[in-house]
Amino acid sequence: MNRSITTIERSLSGLAWRWRGGNMDMGEPADPGAIAQAAGDDMVDQLLLSRGIDRSELDRHRRPTLRDFLPDPAIFRDMETAAARLAQAIIAGEAIAVYGDYDVDGATSAALLIRFLRMCGSDARAYIPDRLLEGYGPTGEALVRLGAEGAQLVITVDCGAMAHDALAMASRANVEVIVVDHHKCSAQLPITVALVNPNRLDESDEAAAHGHLAAVGMAFLLAVATSRVLRAGGFFGTGTPPDLMALLDLVALGTVADMAQLRGLNRALVAQGLKVMARRENTGLAALIDASRLTRSPTCSDLGFALGPRINAAGRIGDSSLGVQLLTTLDPDQAAAIAAQLSVLNDERRAIEAAVQEAAEIELVGARDCAVNVLAGSGWHPGVIGIVAGRIKEKTGKPTLVIALDADEAGNGKGSGRSIAGVDLGAAVIAARAAGLLIAGGGHAMACGLTIASGQLDGLRRFLDDRLARDIAQARTAQSLLIDLSLAPGGLTPDLVTMLDAAGPFGIGWPGPRVAVGPVRLVKCDTVGQDHVRMVATGNDGRSFKAIAFRAATTDLGQALLHGHKGRRFWLAGRARVDDWASRPAAELHVEDAAFAD
């Protein structure tokens, strides 16, 4: 007897399978046309409805544009003040410095403002702190030094919201600072000319609804607001105002790489940004695409897994300014050289990451009874701990903090954390800092960073467990694998992939369609590469397809597929992709879970 996917309460990964949105409960495999016909909607509408879009909003979300989603920047507190001050600096020809974080969001935010200022006939210097020597966020010493070197206005991007001491030091030195950030704020704000952040606690509901924007999105809105001020003052005369749409490729890259939710405005920014990126007008981005060996226009997935990691590698283990240099250069030769250097650094980063992850997983043995994984070790490279935290979070299903001990001259630890849906790790870290357990700390719901004295590790573990255990238990109980479509192997075609992609771009908060294919038998199953499980599956309809489960060989899922597939039939669930390496494109499945079909 066949087992319907609606009866799967515990898969090989221990999850129940449910229809996303609860509106596609077909119970048996069906082709895409049958599901669309049964619901009275086409496939794209079905996907949008299952992601919470109201039927009256379908047209707007099918083709997300800035015209439909871009708010008036003035809804954000301090935006008009920031725009007026920046416009004043442009008109007066003041020296401007852009102080960015060392990750992709920081690099793209800084590059966007620098390119915007160039469009306005102004120039700015970029300052990106060294991750190891200066840590996260602006330091008072650096801000004062920028002022002493001539900067009449400093704009911090992707950092600064919690830099009370540094900004107070800058204020005493008469250094004017605008903060453009998206990280969580405390009730008391630092001293600034303006602090633009949708996550200010005193924001209006209208502005707070955009709290999922990355810093690069907020930087784009500042450019929009400043351009409006300049136009109103006649700054451009009879000339053409800056083409701000040309900056959307940077917005798309920073938004996706920072794992911002692709809902509403973010989805429109990324959708339009991918179109701009395909035109290859940014010299540095074009070189990065070539260095990544992409032979087609980048997709949303490419931003997160090919382009973003290369820029991140500079801030993690190399020269943190390389990303901004690449994204702002107009010299093709310089761009090609930097892009090649970033690829080398990315390879080095992968090797360092693998060593740190192996050591961190050994520490997991002593953390099995904890609600939050707090893993610490000496000699771990601080530049890769965030990536390792994300890997271990995915593997264990728990929020994870990875801390590199003795990371500074004082012997303090530097930590980075990643959370699971429904658990606000950033707020917990801010609370731990307020409780005196941390030297520094902040972040947002899904990611955080901190500095801690080694003697406080046990106290932090207890604090996080006490604060988050209930939220984690509820989140994990509610976990299930959401399915958009079930079909037999014959329905897994390139045309289906094209149809599903029409509801994109997909990413965090706007998940790509997940299909369940089956029942199937595995006629081939082995390991390839770095613990990937490779399969060839065939169904009752006589059709076969290739599938792969990445980094799954040592998991319960991978072991069951490798050693329990003979004589058994499965449902395989994952993302449908097109394999275009062969002479004829074919659809394949990137497997995320599986369940026995009988």
Side-chain angles (χ1 to χ4, degrees), residues 227-559:
S227 182
R228 183 163 62 185
V229 173
L230 293 171
R231 285 200 311 272
F235 176 76
F236 301 110
T238 58
T240 303
D243 178 13
L244 299 184
M245 296 292 284
L247 300 173
L248 289 177
D249 49 6
L250 295 173
V251 181
L253 176 57
T255 297
V256 173
D258 209 51
M259 299 187 293
Q261 291 194 16
L262 296 191
R263 303 188 69 84
L265 176 57
N266 272 349
R267 192 161 160 263
L269 290 169
V270 172
Q272 300 307 315
L274 287 171
K275 295 177 183 177
V276 174
M277 195 176 295
R279 301 202 297 260
R280 295 172 61 92
E281 294 172 351
N282 184 305
T283 303
L285 269 178
L288 191 66
I289 292 167
D290 292 341
S292 302
R293 299 179 183 176
L294 294 176
T295 57
R296 47 166 172 71
S297 298
T299 65
C300 202
S301 178
D302 295 326
L303 305 190
F305 295 102
L307 306 185
R310 284 172 164 77
I311 293 178
N312 252 335
R316 293 183 185 281
I317 63 171
D319 179 352
S320 57
S321 69
L322 286 175
V324 176
Q325 290 181 44
L326 175 72
L327 298 175
T328 56
T329 185
L330 302 178
D331 182 340
D333 292 335
Q334 182 187 29
I338 296 175
Q341 186 177 357
L342 290 175
S343 290
V344 172
L345 286 172
N346 194 46
D347 290 340
E348 293 178 10
R349 186 268 306 167
R350 287 174 177 166
I352 295 170
E353 173 196 325
V356 173
Q357 181 169 344
E358 182 179 359
E361 290 188 354
I362 293 173
E363 298 297 315
L364 269 176
V365 176
R368 286 176 178 169
D369 296 330
C370 297
V372 179
N373 297 320
V374 179
L375 312 172
S378 297
W380 296 358
H381 197 298
V384 302
I385 53 178
I387 302 174
V388 173
R391 300 269 192 228
I392 294 177
K393 181 263 295 189
E394 292 294 332
K395 191 169 186 175
T396 63
K398 296 180 181 181
T400 299
L401 278 166
V402 176
I403 300 170
L405 298 178
D406 303 319
D408 62 19
E409 293 179 357
N412 298 312
K414 298 286 186 180
S416 188
R418 299 293 183 268
S419 193
I420 62 176
V423 179
D424 192 335
L425 188 57
V429 165
I430 291 173
R433 178 182 179 182
L437 294 170
L438 301 175
I439 298 168
H444 47 79
M446 298 300 289
C448 68
L450 58 84
T451 303
I452 185 172
S454 58
Q456 295 282 21
L457 283 172
D458 288 340
L460 178 64
R461 289 188 179 100
R462 290 191 297 270
F463 180 91
L464 292 177
D465 272 12
D466 290 344
R467 181 182 175 94
L468 297 177
R470 179 177 295 181
D471 291 345
I472 293 168
Q474 291 176 347
R476 297 188 75 182
T477 298
Q479 280 183 339
S480 57
L481 195 76
L482 299 180
I483 307 293
D484 290 282
L485 173 67
S486 68
L487 61 153
L492 188 65
T493 65
D495 287 342
L496 172 69
V497 177
T498 300
M499 192 185 312
L500 296 176
D501 284 348
F506 301 106
I508 301 296
W510 192 261
R514 183 178 290 117
V515 301
V517 186
V520 299
R521 297 185 187 278
L522 302 184
V523 296
K524 180 180 180 180
C525 187
D526 59 11
T527 59
V528 63
Q530 297 181 340
D531 293 330
H532 309 316
V533 178
R534 176 177 58 182
M535 294 157 274
V536 175
T538 186
N540 295 336
D541 59 359
R543 303 295 294 274
S544 299
F545 62 93
K546 294 179 180 179
I548 188 166
F550 293 105
R551 298 187 184 88
T554 60
T555 66
D556 292 343
L557 168 65
Q559 288 296 300

Side-chain angles (χ1 to χ4, degrees), residues 57-251:
E57 292 281 293
L58 286 177
D59 286 343
R60 192 164 76 108
H61 285 269
R62 281 182 74 104
R63 299 173 185 84
T65 64
L66 292 191
R67 177 179 297 177
D68 287 336
F69 285 93
L70 192 71
D72 183 342
I75 68 172
F76 297 95
R77 290 189 182 275
D78 282 3
M79 180 66 84
E80 290 182 298
T81 301
R85 179 64 186 91
L86 182 54
Q88 177 189 349
I90 293 170
I91 294 168
E94 295 181 25
I96 303 170
V98 182
Y99 192 122
D101 189 24
Y102 38 66
D103 67 1
V104 183
D105 193 16
T108 52
S109 299
L112 184 147
L113 288 182
I114 289 171
R115 294 178 75 93
F116 167 68
L117 288 166
R118 287 177 182 171
M119 292 175 177
C120 297
S122 184
D123 204 357
R125 65 172 290 190
Y127 185 90
I128 308 295
D130 185 284
R131 177 190 289 263
L132 300 182
L133 299 179
E134 298 176 83
Y136 168 76
T139 63
E141 293 79 8
L143 293 174
V144 171
R145 185 168 62 252
L146 287 171
E149 292 172 354
Q152 295 163 278
L153 178 65
V154 179
I155 308 171
T156 72
V157 287
D158 197 29
C159 59
M162 294 290 289
H164 295 79
D165 293 342
L167 291 165
M169 186 173 173
S171 177
R172 290 192 295 270
N174 296 317
V175 178
E176 293 191 81
V177 182
I178 293 172
V179 171
V180 180
D181 204 351
H182 69 133
H183 293 97
K184 289 185 177 295
C185 295
S186 60
Q188 181 180 357
L189 299 176
I191 301 171
T192 62
V193 172
L195 194 155
V196 181
N197 186 334
N199 290 306
R200 285 176 54 153
L201 297 180
D202 60 348
E203 267 296 7
S204 67
D205 290 343
E206 183 181 13
H210 297 285
H212 60 293
L213 287 175
V216 70
M218 295 305 298
F220 178 76
L221 289 172
L222 175 60
V224 172
T226 304
S227 182
R228 183 163 62 185
V229 173
L230 293 171
R231 285 200 311 272
F235 176 76
F236 301 110
T238 58
T240 303
D243 178 13
L244 299 184
M245 296 292 284
L247 300 173
L248 289 177
D249 49 6
L250 295 173
V251 181

